[in-house]
Amino acid sequence: MESLADAGRLLAHLALLSLVSVGGAHAVFPDVFRLVVTERGWMTGTEFATLVALSQAAPGPNVLVIALIGQRVGGAALGVAALVAFCLPSSIIAWFAARAHFRGAGTRLTRAIRNGFAPVTVGLVLASGFILATGTAGHWWMYAMAMVSTVLASATRLHPLWLIVAGAVVGALA
Amino acid sequence: MAPSSPPTPRELFLGFLNVGISGFGGVLPYARRQLVDRKRWITDVEMTEMLSLAQLLPGPNIVNVAIMLGTRSCGAPGAAAGVLGLMLVPLVLFLVLGAIYQEFADVPWLKGAFAGVGAAAAGLILAVGIRFAHALKPRAWVIALGVASFAAIAFARLPLPLVVVALAPLGVWIAWRREG
């Protein structure tokens, strides 16, 4: 990172994405990737994928990957600021929505929003996984690992930690 | 299993602190165990209802659940206490891990291990999407919208704000018309 302007650009981008992040942090990976890797070159695609992996391997909400990305771009302070920038706008919306919900407002509209958003959210999350699986994989075994992990995680009740451990072992030996 | 009395901000902070530090690969299953089974702040049905609302709102689902439960229990202070409890300890842990990673990023076998974890993590995210998809009704417009949003991001590489602003209102409009 070169300047405060860069930090500002990252934070503004995250705050904007926050407002449309249906599906949570998972849905915004392609857009964050585009800014920090493709457009600005603040890190490589492999580094980006590694930070996502780190966030899946460590205990805690997955959204903390945003802090890791900010930290990689401009140090720990920017990591904290990035997390706040990404969480605050959506949290304010959630707060208003919660108050309206507990007052029993607009059941038909709530249902229409839920049913209308759901397919879009599914598409966004799948696209994110697809881009992470294909955009950064350099070797055939990485595609295989992603496919095995997809099948086991969606079809069985296997704990995600086992897949993470398997990925680490396979990767270290490959 | 009668729910206990509404939690205070302090109890919310500690309750969500417990949720935040226990989840590997996503904290939602731990949230259900903690909030419904152990603390009994909400029932299973309320948890499902909050989750479905949390999923349609922007923002991380677990953060939205903390805000909703906190707001219901004791207003804005409760929401803030829940979110801070959820984030503070893992945030410090993540920043330490991030710093360690930057030190050792060039060790070859570690590089491979991280690449492997990255591939597994991509699969976990795909599985989340597949599980969501199973919950949808297989109507033509639902499939069309899902495919359109997937293709817009994965292949056309359009910006997320554009895709959401174009497709989400369209989905709401169709869902509203269908029900009317």
Side-chain angles (χ1 to χ4, degrees):
Chain A
M1 192 187 66
E2 286 119 44
S3 65
L4 271 180
D6 282 342
R9 195 191 302 266
L10 176 67
L11 297 180
H13 194 69
L14 290 173
L16 173 67
L17 289 180
S18 174
L19 295 173
V20 291
S21 61
V22 288
H26 289 161
V28 304
F29 288 150
D31 267 64
V32 178
F33 186 94
R34 189 193 348 247
L35 177 76
V36 303
V37 177
T38 316
E39 285 178 9
R40 314 301 303 179
W42 288 327
M43 65 185 80
T44 67
T46 315
E47 280 177 295
F48 186 92
T50 303
L51 295 181
V52 173
L54 202 59
S55 75
Q56 300 271 338
N62 293 330
V63 63
L64 285 164
V65 67
I66 300 292
L68 284 180
I69 291 167
Q71 181 189 30
R72 177 70 187 80
V73 172
L78 188 60
V80 176
L83 185 66
V84 173
F86 184 69
C87 286
L88 199 57
S90 67
S91 293
I92 291 169
I93 294 177
W95 183 68
F96 279 113
R99 291 205 318 170
H101 175 72
F102 293 126
R103 287 174 187 162
T107 358
R108 186 185 164 193
L109 183 61
T110 311
R111 258 205 313 277
I113 293 175
R114 179 178 312 161
N115 293 336
F117 275 27
V120 180
T121 308
V122 168
L124 297 181
V125 172
L126 287 174
S128 231
F130 176 82
I131 285 181
L132 280 176
T134 59
T136 57
H139 302 280
W140 67 269
W141 65 264
M142 290 173 74
Y143 291 102
M145 187 66 229
M147 263 156 67
V148 167
S149 157
T150 306
V151 170
L152 288 180
S154 57
T156 71
R157 294 193 156 270
L158 187 68
H159 198 288
L161 192 57
W162 292 116
L163 294 168
I164 300 279
V165 171
V169 172
V170 171
L173 298 176
Chain B
M1 282 223 298
S4 54
S5 61
T8 63
R10 194 189 129 86
E11 289 171 320
L12 283 164
F13 180 87
L14 294 174
F16 276 99
L17 194 147
N18 207 306
V19 172
I21 56 176
S22 8
F24 284 91
V27 294
L28 281 175
Y30 297 90
R32 189 182 285 274
R33 205 172 301 162
Q34 172 80 354
L35 305 176
V36 178
D37 299 338
R38 290 176 55 191
K39 299 283 185 190
R40 297 191 186 171
W41 287 335
I42 44 173
T43 65
D44 210 32
V45 174
E46 286 171 320
M47 180 75 192
T48 303
E49 197 185 292
M50 278 190 193
L51 255 183
S52 70
L53 187 60
Q55 276 167 358
L56 71 86
L57 290 169
N61 294 335
I62 184 63
V63 173
N64 289 341
V65 166
I67 288 170
M68 276 185 261
L69 180 56
T71 303
R72 199 188 67 164
S73 308
C74 43
V83 174
L84 286 178
L86 190 63
M87 297 284 198
L88 276 185
V89 175
L91 174 62
V92 173
L93 176 74
F94 267 61
L95 292 178
V96 170
L97 283 177
I100 293 173
Y101 162 66
Q102 288 178 34
E103 283 296 310
F104 296 98
D106 294 329
V107 179
W109 69 268
L110 214 52
K111 232 178 182 162
F114 275 124
V117 175
L124 292 181
I125 292 170
L126 283 168
V128 168
I130 290 170
R131 277 178 192 246
F132 273 176
H134 278 308
L136 299 181
K137 292 181 184 129
R139 305 254 163 77
W141 70 270
V142 169
I143 296 168
L145 263 185
V147 170
S149 79
F150 177 81
I153 298 286
F155 299 127
R157 303 286 163 115
L158 295 173
L160 178 69
L162 182 70
V163 175
V164 171
V165 166
L167 294 182
L170 179 66
V172 176
W173 182 70
I174 298 173
W176 176 270
R177 291 276 307 255
R178 290 283 156 139
E179 242 189 87

